[in-house]
Amino acid sequence: MFAIACTLLILEIRLPHAGAHGSLWSNFVALWPSYLAFALSFFVILVSWISHHDLMELIRAPSQAVMLANGCALIYVTFIPFPTAALAANLGGPEAGTAVAFYSGTFVLGSGAYNLLLETIARCPLRDPKTGAQAVVRIRRGYRLVFVTYLVATGMALVTPYVALALTIAVRLHLLRIRGMRERTAAT
Amino acid sequence: MFAIACTLLILEIRLPHAGAHGSLWSNFVALWPSYLAFALSFFVILVSWISHHDLMELIRAPSQAVMLANGCALIYVTFIPFPTAALAANLGGPEAGTAVAFYSGTFVLGSGAYNLLLETIARCPLRDPKTGAQAVVRIRRGYRLVFVTYLVATGMALVTPYVALALTIAVRLHLLRIRGMRERTAAT
Amino acid sequence: MFAIACTLLILEIRLPHAGAHGSLWSNFVALWPSYLAFALSFFVILVSWISHHDLMELIRAPSQAVMLANGCALIYVTFIPFPTAALAANLGGPEAGTAVAFYSGTFVLGSGAYNLLLETIARCPLRDPKTGAQAVVRIRRGYRLVFVTYLVATGMALVTPYVALALTIAVRLHLLRIRGMRERTAAT
Amino acid sequence: MFAIACTLLILEIRLPHAGAHGSLWSNFVALWPSYLAFALSFFVILVSWISHHDLMELIRAPSQAVMLANGCALIYVTFIPFPTAALAANLGGPEAGTAVAFYSGTFVLGSGAYNLLLETIARCPLRDPKTGAQAVVRIRRGYRLVFVTYLVATGMALVTPYVALALTIAVRLHLLRIRGMRERTAAT
């Protein structure tokens, strides 16, 4: 589902029809907001995928509650191509602020769904009760930081859209860096 | 296939092209029927997925009859994005009744396909003959309730479309609740 | 890939845009060629899937030659949505013959690819040498019948398109029936 | 993801809407650039898939660095349908050179991503340290040849687009042939 959502993103990038103004080259260049929105959302879905994989590693078999919370997380991932298209159509334009607020607002709801999924997983028989409980506490801290950051970014978007957009990416890079450091520690 | 059908739903939500009337924000708001139809169909496909998974757990290897009945169930799932788009285009409009009747009528056929799949599975070597036979009886009762409810909802749709739409969702929530209760009983 | 090709078929069925003539109901009815083309192609891909699965069961690990022949078979499956859309747009119209010839002609090439795949598999180490060799002989007979039938149907399409279309489906039903009979014999 | 990208390619081939000039047959013929671009990109994704599979066979479990480099390789594969559509729309036209340069330029970036993936894999615990290290050296030689060839083809595209396009395919056929020879040697 993550793979499909990633791949569908490309369908939103379209050349203007033949007969439009400008050379092919200038049309390629004019699509920069589409390339940027594509790359950002691809990165977001990729990180959500890694995060989802880390969560699913914690439990042995999903209960129905986990399956439904998982459905909420997946509907968010599936929805991403729509705000991405809205972002691509408005970056560099007069309504970039609204588009970034909608994009970032989608992440607020998505982060809510991931927090819900984590809490249902925390109530499920974990694979390894001891390290599992530690992992839940650690992941919970990261998820709450992400939720608050997205809330802030959504508010900021109407004032400084590009800073807000950078913030939504920065928080994910930060968590990836922490995850990478923990991995290297575990390997040694 | 369930995952792909879910993910394709998002392609039906589209912003009007640049140059259309209204601010970006009012365009986002005006798409509420698309968001609602997307969420409903996502939920329907998710529940069909869980239900399909429960069925496939019952048998060891599918016979050709099961594969063909399975094909009928899958063509229904694959078809869902079309009535969803019709629903999204007509919710809140003068032809909402026809759109809901078509949407609900698709579920009547789909429920017929699931009933057919259940009966071919009941004739296949079951994984555990004793509990398998009990599960078939139990699932059959739920599937027949769903079939009748959809027939009723399709008729009602032309008179009170929103009540009919709520009914198609309510019957699934009811069965999910029963499934969840059984799961909790099995766990204790 | 079979699953994705099946699911993409639905994207070709589209309601006319708002503002078009006719009630919603008459629009649903006027799309009958789309429903028919959708159902036929879904069935074709489903049968190709079963057939592909039977082939892949024969070998232990694919050689590079098998992977390339497999690529030819898959490009055919992936291509199917395009002639399906052409069929849907022309059934019941003055150019139905050309559309059916193109649709059936695609199957000629596809059948060629499946024959090629079978021959590369016959040259690969088979999972069970004795029953594998028997299966190759049996499948080869069916594949050659299909190839010739499609050639005939493509020629006929320009004269009697609907009979030609029925013929392409009939040959698959015939082979499915034989496969089902063999399965029942093997089970007893 | 490779499978999905392949299958989405077909969505870019579309018949002109009803009411357009010309018979259905002449419309089928006029789409030859779309068929060619479809077949080329299908082949490219297929070869990238085989290549990706060979890489992933080398390691035991992906580190986070491998996962991110893998993300770069996958974003390239996912992007392919867009330059394919641009190629299809411009083959045989006055701007074929720009379209081929963009198509081939995408491969330069993609080849860069595959080289990056190979280097992160070379720093990861290999499944079989001895033959793994030999494989890395051998694959690195091929990947660098591909990278340089694409750079050359991108420059050439503006002068002789069709020769440049043939070159991008020829280098892949060459590497496939070497891979096939090695496979046959290993089998004997």
Side-chain angles (χ1 to χ4, degrees):
Chain A
M1 216 141 180
F2 291 88
I4 308 163
C6 276
T7 324
L8 288 182
L9 291 171
I10 196 65
L11 295 180
E12 308 290 353
I13 309 187
R14 294 189 168 283
L15 279 177
H17 285 284
H21 299 299
S23 68
L24 181 58
W25 190 251
S26 67
N27 284 335
F28 282 139
V29 173
L31 282 171
W32 69 264
S34 293
Y35 307 141
L36 181 59
F38 171 71
L40 291 182
S41 290
F42 194 97
F43 173 72
V44 166
I45 297 177
L46 198 74
V47 174
S48 303
W49 199 349
I50 296 176
S51 182
H52 190 264
H53 182 260
D54 287 351
L55 282 183
M56 288 304 162
E57 287 260 288
L58 292 176
I59 48 172
R60 263 173 278 154
S63 67
Q64 180 169 287
V66 170
M67 278 158 88
L68 292 178
N70 195 25
C72 292
L74 291 179
I75 200 174
Y76 148 67
V77 172
T78 302
F79 189 72
I80 290 175
F82 174 65
T84 305
L87 189 69
N90 289 284
L91 273 181
E95 299 206 272
T98 309
V100 173
F102 189 77
Y103 189 66
S104 181
T106 301
F107 296 161
V108 174
L109 292 180
S111 173
Y114 265 77
N115 274 287
L116 181 70
L117 180 57
L118 175 65
E119 298 310 323
T120 52
I121 281 177
R123 272 153 195 75
C124 216
L126 298 171
R127 201 167 272 174
D128 179 335
K130 182 146 172 296
T131 64
Q134 290 168 345
V136 165
V137 170
R138 184 163 31 81
I139 295 174
R140 186 182 283 140
R141 203 164 43 221
Y143 276 20
R144 291 192 176 165
L145 171 66
V146 168
F147 185 79
V148 170
T149 310
Y150 290 162
L151 263 185
V152 171
T154 305
M156 278 174 63
L158 300 167
V159 189
T160 57
Y162 300 100
V163 177
L165 195 57
L167 192 61
T168 66
I169 300 301
V171 69
R172 291 186 214 257
L173 285 173
H174 171 65
L175 289 175
L176 264 187
R177 214 174 61 93
I178 291 179
R179 190 183 176 281
M181 278 163 54
R182 190 174 317 113
E183 191 186 73
R184 274 189 296 280
T185 313
T188 56
Chain B
M1 217 141 179
F2 291 88
I4 308 163
C6 275
T7 323
L8 288 182
L9 291 172
I10 196 64
L11 295 180
E12 307 291 352
I13 309 187
R14 293 190 167 284
L15 280 176
H17 285 286
H21 300 298
S23 69
L24 181 59
W25 191 250
S26 67
N27 285 335
F28 281 140
V29 173
L31 283 171
W32 69 264
S34 294
Y35 307 141
L36 181 60
F38 171 70
L40 291 182
S41 290
F42 194 96
F43 173 72
V44 166
I45 298 177
L46 197 74
V47 173
S48 304
W49 198 349
I50 296 176
S51 181
H52 190 264
H53 182 261
D54 287 351
L55 281 183
M56 288 303 164
E57 286 258 290
L58 292 177
I59 49 172
R60 262 174 276 154
S63 67
Q64 181 169 286
V66 170
M67 278 159 89
L68 291 179
N70 194 24
C72 292
L74 292 179
I75 199 174
Y76 148 67
V77 171
T78 303
F79 190 72
I80 289 176
F82 175 64
T84 304
L87 188 69
N90 289 284
L91 273 181
E95 298 205 273
T98 309
V100 173
F102 189 77
Y103 190 66
S104 181
T106 302
F107 296 162
V108 173
L109 293 179
S111 174
Y114 265 76
N115 275 287
L116 181 70
L117 180 56
L118 175 65
E119 298 309 323
T120 51
I121 281 177
R123 272 151 196 75
C124 217
L126 299 171
R127 200 167 271 173
D128 179 336
K130 182 148 171 292
T131 64
Q134 290 167 345
V136 165
V137 170
R138 185 164 31 81
I139 296 174
R140 187 182 282 140
R141 202 164 43 220
Y143 276 20
R144 291 194 175 163
L145 171 66
V146 167
F147 185 79
V148 171
T149 310
Y150 289 161
L151 264 185
V152 171
T154 305
M156 276 173 64
L158 301 168
V159 191
T160 57
Y162 300 100
V163 176
L165 195 56
L167 192 62
T168 66
I169 300 301
V171 68
R172 290 186 213 257
L173 285 174
H174 172 66
L175 289 175
L176 265 187
R177 215 175 60 94
I178 291 179
R179 189 183 176 281
M181 278 162 54
R182 191 174 315 112
E183 191 186 73
R184 272 190 297 278
T185 313
T188 56
Chain C
M1 218 141 178
F2 291 88
I4 308 163
C6 276
T7 322
L8 288 182
L9 291 172
I10 196 65
L11 295 180
E12 307 291 352
I13 309 187
R14 292 189 169 283
L15 280 176
H17 284 286
H21 299 299
S23 68
L24 181 58
W25 191 250
S26 67
N27 284 335
F28 281 140
V29 173
L31 283 171
W32 69 263
S34 294
Y35 307 141
L36 182 59
F38 171 71
L40 291 181
S41 290
F42 194 98
F43 173 72
V44 166
I45 297 177
L46 197 75
V47 174
S48 304
W49 199 349
I50 296 175
S51 182
H52 190 264
H53 182 260
D54 287 350
L55 282 182
M56 287 304 163
E57 287 259 290
L58 292 176
I59 49 173
R60 261 176 277 152
S63 68
Q64 182 169 285
V66 170
M67 277 158 90
L68 292 178
N70 194 25
C72 292
L74 291 179
I75 198 174
Y76 148 67
V77 172
T78 302
F79 190 71
I80 289 176
F82 175 64
T84 304
L87 188 69
N90 289 284
L91 272 181
E95 299 206 274
T98 309
V100 173
F102 189 77
Y103 190 67
S104 181
T106 302
F107 296 161
V108 174
L109 292 179
S111 175
Y114 265 77
N115 275 287
L116 181 70
L117 180 57
L118 176 65
E119 298 309 324
T120 51
I121 281 176
R123 272 152 195 76
C124 217
L126 297 171
R127 201 169 271 173
D128 179 337
K130 183 150 170 291
T131 64
Q134 290 167 346
V136 165
V137 170
R138 183 164 31 82
I139 295 174
R140 187 182 282 140
R141 203 165 42 221
Y143 277 20
R144 291 193 176 165
L145 171 65
V146 167
F147 185 79
V148 171
T149 310
Y150 289 161
L151 264 185
V152 171
T154 305
M156 278 174 62
L158 301 168
V159 190
T160 56
Y162 300 99
V163 177
L165 195 57
L167 192 61
T168 65
I169 300 301
V171 68
R172 290 188 213 256
L173 284 174
H174 172 66
L175 289 175
L176 264 188
R177 214 175 60 93
I178 291 179
R179 190 183 177 281
M181 278 161 55
R182 191 175 315 113
E183 191 186 73
R184 272 189 297 278
T185 313
T188 55
Chain D
M1 217 141 179
F2 291 88
I4 307 163
C6 276
T7 322
L8 288 182
L9 291 171
I10 196 63
L11 295 180
E12 307 290 352
I13 310 187
R14 293 190 167 283
L15 279 176
H17 285 287
H21 299 299
S23 69
L24 181 58
W25 192 250
S26 67
N27 284 334
F28 281 139
V29 174
L31 282 171
W32 69 264
S34 292
Y35 307 140
L36 182 60
F38 171 72
L40 291 181
S41 289
F42 194 97
F43 173 73
V44 166
I45 297 177
L46 198 73
V47 174
S48 304
W49 198 349
I50 296 175
S51 182
H52 190 264
H53 182 259
D54 287 350
L55 282 182
M56 287 304 164
E57 286 261 289
L58 293 176
I59 50 172
R60 263 177 275 154
S63 67
Q64 181 168 287
V66 170
M67 277 158 88
L68 291 178
N70 194 25
C72 292
L74 291 179
I75 199 174
Y76 148 67
V77 171
T78 302
F79 190 71
I80 290 175
F82 175 64
T84 305
L87 189 70
N90 289 285
L91 274 181
E95 299 206 274
T98 309
V100 173
F102 189 78
Y103 190 67
S104 181
T106 302
F107 296 160
V108 174
L109 293 180
S111 173
Y114 265 77
N115 275 288
L116 181 70
L117 180 57
L118 176 65
E119 298 310 324
T120 51
I121 280 176
R123 272 153 195 78
C124 218
L126 296 172
R127 200 170 272 175
D128 179 337
K130 183 148 170 294
T131 65
Q134 289 168 346
V136 165
V137 170
R138 183 164 32 81
I139 295 174
R140 187 183 282 138
R141 203 164 43 220
Y143 276 19
R144 290 190 178 167
L145 172 66
V146 168
F147 185 79
V148 172
T149 310
Y150 290 161
L151 264 185
V152 171
T154 305
M156 277 174 64
L158 300 168
V159 190
T160 57
Y162 300 99
V163 177
L165 194 57
L167 192 61
T168 66
I169 300 301
V171 70
R172 291 187 213 257
L173 284 174
H174 171 67
L175 289 174
L176 264 188
R177 214 174 61 93
I178 291 180
R179 190 182 175 283
M181 279 162 54
R182 191 176 314 113
E183 190 187 72
R184 273 189 297 278
T185 313
T188 55

